[in-house]
Amino acid sequence: MPHESSQATDAKPGTLFLVGDVFAEFAHHEGVFTVSQLARLIRNGTFPESTDGAESADGVRVSVGQGVSLFDVQFIRDTLARRGLAELVVIDDQALHTRAGREIAHKHRPENVLISAPRPVGADWYEADLLVDGDNEVMSDHLTGQHMQGMLATEAGRQMFIAVAEQFYLPAEAVGSSYFVIDSFATRYRNFLFPLPAVVRCRVLAHRTPHRTRMTFHCELSVSQGGSETAGMEVRFTAFDTQVSHAKETRAAQRSLQDGVALAAAAAAAEAAAPARAEVRTS
């Protein structure tokens, strides 16, 4: 996908990166610090250094990567301020202030929202910053090596197409009250996704309203980092009127329950007949 316009795609020369403590292994690379590491360096008087080449007329620039919250950024700023260094360090945390809201991301907890509010970059093209919180639900029980798990890219794509539909395509009265059903969702992984700034993009290939109670979509999505695609997705989904979707879901649940009862009854009958068959074989 084109449109490498986001300020989060490429870092400026000499930029340092701040990542969450959960990505300590990735912070072994030069120019990358975890929140705890950077705070410790500031308190010890070894950051910022005037000879490391990372300073400019604007001071040392720190770009926020993944796993960092606004609370973490404020902690670093407070630590700098106590040593009188606040004016020497510029922390680029702009993306963290634009995290998508509950209404369009369909998440109840902010740490589980993986994207910023989508922004248009062309006709039916949209992009958002990837914003992985260290306490995100997908991060809770799986972290291998230095890269982030692929399910983060998939979930970010899912949140992205919902947010784009909510923000740019659904009628105002339907925003926040529609029910999204995925018809197909294919994902291809191309490269590792690391805890650095990344961009999620969505291209709406087609959308139509076959009935006043629903709108269908066909979209392509990608997660890109440093100008390279790490994951690409293609999705077809339908946004239903909530009342219609609840009625359909209730009927489907009832059918599933009836099927489950019938299956359990059949299993019980088979189990009851088993001893009788065994007795016939041994007589």
Side-chain angles (χ1 to χ4, degrees):
M1 288 187 175
H3 302 299
E4 296 294 334
S5 59
S6 172
Q7 45 107 24
T9 341
D10 298 288
K12 296 180 180 179
T15 295
L16 303 175
F17 292 99
L18 181 67
V19 300
D21 288 351
V22 69
F23 297 117
E25 189 167 348
F26 184 75
H28 291 156
H29 293 277
E30 184 177 357
V32 182
F33 303 97
T34 67
V35 173
S36 294
Q37 287 172 346
L38 188 58
R40 184 168 57 251
L41 292 173
I42 295 168
R43 288 193 294 264
N44 292 343
T46 55
F47 183 89
E49 296 179 3
S50 59
T51 58
D52 63 2
E55 290 195 23
S56 67
D58 297 325
V60 177
R61 297 195 63 83
V62 177
S63 181
V64 173
Q66 307 301 331
V68 181
S69 67
L70 285 172
F71 189 76
D72 292 328
V73 173
Q74 189 59 50
F75 169 58
I76 294 298
R77 287 198 169 115
D78 290 344
T79 307
L80 288 165
R82 282 194 293 271
R83 293 192 59 85
L85 301 172
E87 301 301 319
L88 297 180
V89 179
V90 178
I91 303 177
D92 182 9
D93 64 343
Q94 179 181 355
L96 293 179
H97 292 272
T98 62
R99 192 179 296 273
R102 173 172 168 172
E103 189 172 60
I104 65 171
H106 289 209
K107 287 292 181 179
H108 289 274
R109 301 179 63 88
E111 64 268 24
N112 292 331
V113 176
L114 288 171
I115 59 171
S116 67
R119 49 191 177 266
V121 292
D124 294 317
W125 283 85
Y126 306 89
E127 69 176 25
D129 296 299
L130 180 68
L131 303 174
V132 178
D133 190 284
D135 292 325
N136 182 274
E137 58 189 342
V138 181
M139 294 279 294
S140 64
D141 197 29
H142 178 73
L143 187 64
T144 304
Q146 301 178 44
H147 69 279
M148 299 190 296
Q149 53 266 47
M151 285 306 299
L152 284 168
T154 301
E155 173 60 14
R158 190 191 70 85
Q159 292 183 21
M160 183 66 172
F161 72 69
I162 291 175
V164 166
E166 289 274 24
Q167 192 169 342
F168 299 103
Y169 291 89
L170 295 184
E173 64 273 14
V175 173
S177 61
S178 294
Y179 194 90
F180 288 77
V181 175
I182 297 173
D183 300 308
S184 65
F185 194 1
T187 302
R188 58 190 180 276
Y189 297 101
R190 301 190 181 278
N191 294 292
F192 285 130
L193 178 63
F194 294 105
L196 295 171
V199 176
V200 186
R201 295 190 173 87
C202 176
R203 181 186 180 190
V204 179
L205 301 176
H207 64 94
R208 64 190 187 92
T209 307
H211 188 271
R212 60 179 179 81
T213 62
R214 62 185 182 273
M215 183 179 290
T216 63
F217 292 85
H218 179 200
C219 300
E220 284 183 346
L221 303 110
S222 71
V223 178
S224 298
Q225 190 168 71
S228 298
E229 184 178 289
T230 64
M233 289 150 271
E234 183 176 358
V235 62
R236 296 176 186 270
F237 65 97
T238 303
F240 286 94
D241 174 89
T242 302
Q243 290 185 341
V244 173
S245 65
H246 283 177
K248 290 170 67 70
E249 187 177 33
T250 298
R251 290 194 298 270
Q254 290 172 341
R255 286 195 300 269
S256 183
L257 179 59
Q258 290 167 358
D259 292 343
V261 169
L263 186 62
E271 184 178 351
R277 288 197 299 268
E279 186 177 343
V280 171
R281 286 196 298 268
T282 57
S283 59

